[in-house]
Amino acid sequence: MQPSFKLDSALSRGMLDVLIKAGLIAALVIFSFQVFQPFQELMIWSVILAVTLYPLQRWLKVRTGLKDGHVATLIVLFVLLVLLAPIYLLAINIGDSLDSVVTLLKSDTLSIPAPPESVATWPLIGPRLYAAWQSVSGGLSQVAQHLLPYLKGTGRVLLGAAASAGGAFLLFIAAVIISGIIMAFGENGERAAQRIAIRVSNVERGKHIATLCTATIRAVAQGVIGIAFIQMLLIGVGFVVKGVPGAGILAIAILILGIAQAPATLITLPVIAYVLSTEGFTAATITFAIYTFIAGLADNVLKPLLLGRGVDVPMPVVLIGALGGMVVKGIIGLFIGPVILAVAYNLFWQWVDQQEPESASESPE
């Protein structure tokens, strides 16, 4: 009885030690995550930018012979100079568009005409359409009173979207700067990523997983988000220079369509028709129409150059990542979501494919 009692006592002490250690580790992990959580989005975006721009870092280092820190600084300054001016113009235009809408609503200078009597005679929808039209006819203030219960929720959504866009703009600047710091220590970071992947898996699979994650991030960031972003800048700056109403909002819509792999001509063609119909056929409007039409087709030239570099990510995965990311994290989720979901998708199928040889070897002959 005594040896058995000692054995049970030793097992109890061992179990207690394991539980205490596990509890301490769990508390440390939870506390560390809470401390890191405010910087989570910033660091994810910074890593995505650093991984995407690192091939340029290597290329410039070989060509110029400069140190890693100097090359990273040049890349950060170039990105900020090239992107900040167009993004600033679009942001200012979005603010001006919202101010114009508010001014128009306050002035009550526009009105919705009363419906013609013939509308009531239309089959099926005529009477209901006539009644709804009649209820909102008049000045915009009267219309706003009818729609006030619905406008409150819409206004909150618009204000939230505007705040999210402003926060994403500032976060983007900080992410570009931090990505330069990461690129300055790129070789150490690459070795660290491989060590972590090897520790999670094994030597062969670990290196392959690290390579797969890097290739997926670059493929999605360059081939999907990068193309949509470039196209937004090309078309959006043209809208701002021409003075198209709501140019900034239209540019954001083009960005969303680009990430969703929808053609930008869904927006550019109506805008071209609007400009030509309101301003006529002049040298300026024709030049704008040609430029906008070509910029709307720029993705057809950029996709073969930047997309599909050995990484197969279905477009529904990218679309779900973009829309889901935007719902969860706002504007910044529109960029981060597709990358994270694409990496998870490829890692999942990599795990699935690793089971096939084992299953085949265990099958009876």
Side-chain angles (χ1 to χ4, degrees):
M1 295 295 294
Q2 189 174 4
S4 176
F5 175 77
K6 290 182 178 180
L7 180 61
D8 292 340
S9 178
L11 289 175
S12 299
R13 286 196 300 271
M15 182 71 69
L16 183 61
D17 290 342
V18 171
L19 291 176
I20 292 175
K21 292 177 181 177
L24 292 175
I25 293 174
L28 180 62
V29 171
I30 293 173
F31 181 74
S32 300
F33 177 76
Q34 291 176 344
V35 172
F36 177 75
Q37 191 174 13
F39 308 96
Q40 179 180 354
E41 298 173 2
L42 174 62
M43 294 308 300
I44 291 175
W45 203 347
S46 301
V47 171
I48 290 173
L49 288 174
V51 172
T52 304
L53 296 174
Y54 191 61
L56 178 61
Q57 160 95 4
R58 284 183 167 178
W59 185 83
L60 288 177
K61 181 181 178 181
V62 173
R63 296 297 186 278
T64 60
L66 297 175
K67 296 182 179 179
D68 288 332
H70 297 162
V71 176
T73 302
L74 291 177
I75 293 176
V76 169
L77 292 176
F78 176 77
V79 171
L80 292 178
L81 290 176
V82 170
L83 297 182
L84 282 186
I87 292 176
Y88 176 76
L89 289 176
L90 293 178
I92 292 298
N93 188 266
I94 291 175
D96 293 340
S97 300
L98 294 176
D99 289 340
S100 300
V101 172
V102 173
T103 303
L104 185 62
L105 291 174
K106 289 181 178 180
S107 64
D108 199 20
T109 56
L110 293 180
S111 62
I112 298 176
E117 298 293 337
S118 60
V119 174
T121 62
W122 292 359
L124 298 179
I125 64 171
R128 294 183 179 180
L129 179 61
Y130 181 84
W133 191 342
Q134 184 70 31
S135 65
V136 299
S137 61
L140 289 180
S141 59
Q142 298 178 2
V143 177
Q145 290 178 359
H146 287 89
L147 299 178
L148 187 59
Y150 308 98
L151 292 177
K152 288 182 179 179
T154 305
R156 293 191 188 99
V157 173
L158 292 177
L159 289 176
S164 178
F169 176 68
L170 297 177
L171 203 63
F172 174 76
I173 298 176
V176 171
I177 297 174
I178 296 177
S179 68
I181 299 174
I182 296 174
M183 286 189 294
F185 301 93
E187 294 182 0
N188 294 332
E190 186 176 2
R191 286 195 295 267
Q194 290 183 356
R195 289 174 59 192
I196 294 172
I198 290 172
R199 184 66 182 88
V200 172
S201 182
N202 53 40
V203 177
E204 295 181 1
R205 292 179 180 177
K207 291 183 178 180
H208 180 69
I209 288 174
T211 303
L212 179 64
C213 293
T214 302
T216 304
I217 292 173
R218 287 174 184 164
V220 177
Q222 295 177 1
V224 178
I225 299 174
I227 292 175
F229 197 78
I230 292 172
Q231 197 167 31
M232 179 201 71
L233 291 180
L234 292 175
I235 299 174
V237 171
F239 285 177
V240 172
V241 173
K242 191 66 184 70
V244 176
I249 299 175
L250 292 174
I252 297 297
I254 290 172
L255 176 64
I256 297 174
L257 287 178
I259 294 178
Q261 300 301 296
T265 50
L266 294 175
I267 292 179
T268 57
L269 291 181
V271 170
I272 291 173
Y274 168 80
V275 171
L276 293 177
S277 63
T278 55
E279 300 185 17
F281 289 83
T282 63
T285 57
I286 293 175
T287 302
F288 169 78
I290 295 174
Y291 169 79
T292 304
F293 182 76
I294 295 175
L297 300 176
D299 58 330
N300 297 320
V301 178
L302 295 174
K303 281 181 179 178
L305 298 175
L306 299 177
L307 187 60
R309 300 189 174 186
V311 177
D312 185 17
V313 180
M315 285 303 107
V317 174
V318 176
L319 176 59
I320 293 172
L323 298 180
M326 186 168 59
V327 171
V328 175
K329 293 295 183 181
I331 296 296
I332 186 176
L334 185 67
F335 302 95
I336 297 177
V339 178
I340 295 178
L341 197 61
V343 171
Y345 173 85
N346 278 331
L347 288 178
F348 171 76
W349 283 109
Q350 176 69 21
W351 173 77
V352 171
D353 293 339
Q354 288 174 357
Q355 309 304 311
E356 294 179 355
E358 298 178 3
S359 300
S361 62
E362 294 176 359
S363 61
E365 296 181 358

